[in-house]
Amino acid sequence: MSGFIVAFAIAIMPGLNQTGSLSAVHSMNAINHAIGGSPLFFILFWGTGLLHIVWLVIVLKNLKIPFAWLVICAAGIYLCGVLFVTLRLNVPLNKEMAVLDLTISRNDLLAGDILERWIFWNQMRAVSSLMSVLLLAIYLRAIYFLNHGIK
């Protein structure tokens, strides 16, 4: 999911923005429709969130696990910075884009405002997902070192 979100932040949205606000919203509506109809995306999005919840529950029940704080931080960042932001901010903005009349040129400013907010929150999701991946990678490396007697 991190790669997907980051791809939007560094390539897809900057590219769409070069086409103009109304065109970008039109394209985003098509992308959102494709994503909404994809069982694989559904599995990956919710599966990643579920894995973070499972890891969090396991670690919270076993706080003596070495470096537990890394897993707690990674899960908290992902759940708040990706799942929460997606559901409470990006999805409502997707709905705003879906009902915007793209045939009215004066809606260009409104489209630009919606896109600007969507891009900001997507950048927050990208940073959050990357931070979560980094923390989990550090955790796995630390456990590897611990299990192999490496200091």
Side-chain angles (χ1 to χ4, degrees):
M1 283 311 306
S2 186
F4 181 83
I5 294 167
V6 170
F8 262 86
I10 65 172
I12 296 169
M13 295 312 297
L16 289 180
N17 269 343
Q18 291 181 8
T19 67
S21 296
L22 291 176
S23 177
V25 166
H26 178 73
S27 296
M28 278 295 296
N29 287 338
I31 291 168
N32 290 332
H33 182 71
I35 289 171
S38 171
L40 180 58
F41 179 84
F42 181 84
I43 291 167
L44 292 172
F45 181 79
W46 290 108
T48 303
L50 182 60
L51 282 174
H52 279 85
I53 292 169
V54 168
W55 291 329
L56 183 60
V57 168
I58 289 169
V59 169
L60 289 175
K61 287 185 175 186
N62 303 290
L63 289 174
K64 291 181 182 177
I65 293 174
F67 311 107
W69 66 272
L70 286 167
V71 176
I72 293 168
C73 290
I77 289 168
Y78 189 87
L79 295 172
C80 294
V82 177
L83 281 182
F84 180 81
V85 168
T86 298
L87 298 175
R88 298 295 294 163
L89 299 160
N90 286 95
V91 169
L93 290 169
N94 288 344
K95 291 178 181 177
E96 281 186 52
M97 282 188 267
V99 298
L100 188 62
D101 187 345
L102 302 176
T103 63
I104 302 173
S105 62
R106 72 175 180 270
N107 281 346
D108 188 54
L109 291 176
L110 183 55
D113 176 61
I114 295 169
L115 284 170
E116 187 176 311
R117 290 183 287 143
W118 194 97
I119 289 168
F120 173 81
W121 288 112
N122 188 65
Q123 289 170 340
M124 295 303 105
R125 292 189 306 175
V127 169
S128 296
S129 65
L130 288 173
M131 286 175 57
S132 179
V133 167
L134 178 62
L135 289 171
L136 290 173
I138 292 169
Y139 171 77
L140 291 173
R141 192 66 172 167
I143 293 298
Y144 174 84
F145 284 160
L146 185 67
N147 289 338
H148 290 84
I150 302 169
K151 293 184 182 185

